[in-house]
Amino acid sequence: MYNEKVMDAFKNPKNVGEIENADGVGLVGNESCGDIMQIFLKIENDIIIDAKFKTFGCAAAIATSSTATEMVKGMTVKEALELTNKKVVETLGGLPAQKIHCSVLAEEAIKKAIEDYQSKKA
Ligand code: FES
């Protein structure tokens, strides 16, 4: 069902955990499957210097959390806001159609964490 890249990201996820005193935290869930994803960002001078996640969900949700947190590290806030679930799925070499919604959680959680950062800053 999953390709090797997805299986590897699921079995050896990167950036699992929490960031203490994170600058932005985003929590999202999917009502139909009940899965939950939380993303923590550390941001300095508008650049994401660290990202971690806690995900209670399926293999695709964990793989996309891992990949998305890897992708946003080093990005500016503006660049990270442009990260779509499609780009995360492409980086993973594709996901089964019925698992695309899992990658949407990663995009939404990052956007929410950035919104949290921006509202704290304002
Ligand atoms: Fe719910 Fe994958 S089945 S996030």
Side-chain angles (χ1 to χ4, degrees), residues 21-81:
N21 302 318
D23 297 299
V25 182
L27 176 68
V28 293
N30 181 298
E31 275 173 27
S32 56
C33 66
D35 291 344
I36 293 173
M37 187 184 293
Q38 192 170 24
I39 285 188
F40 304 82
L41 299 177
K42 191 88 201 146
I43 302 172
E44 259 172 35
N45 299 323
D46 258 22
I47 293 175
I48 298 173
I49 56 164
D50 199 10
K52 288 201 185 300
F53 76 90
K54 288 204 313 201
T55 294
F56 301 93
C58 69
I62 291 170
T64 50
S65 310
S66 169
T67 303
T69 48
E70 277 292 277
M71 289 172 85
V72 295
K73 277 200 259 177
M75 280 187 180
T76 63
V77 165
K78 191 172 169 276
E79 285 166 344
L81 279 173

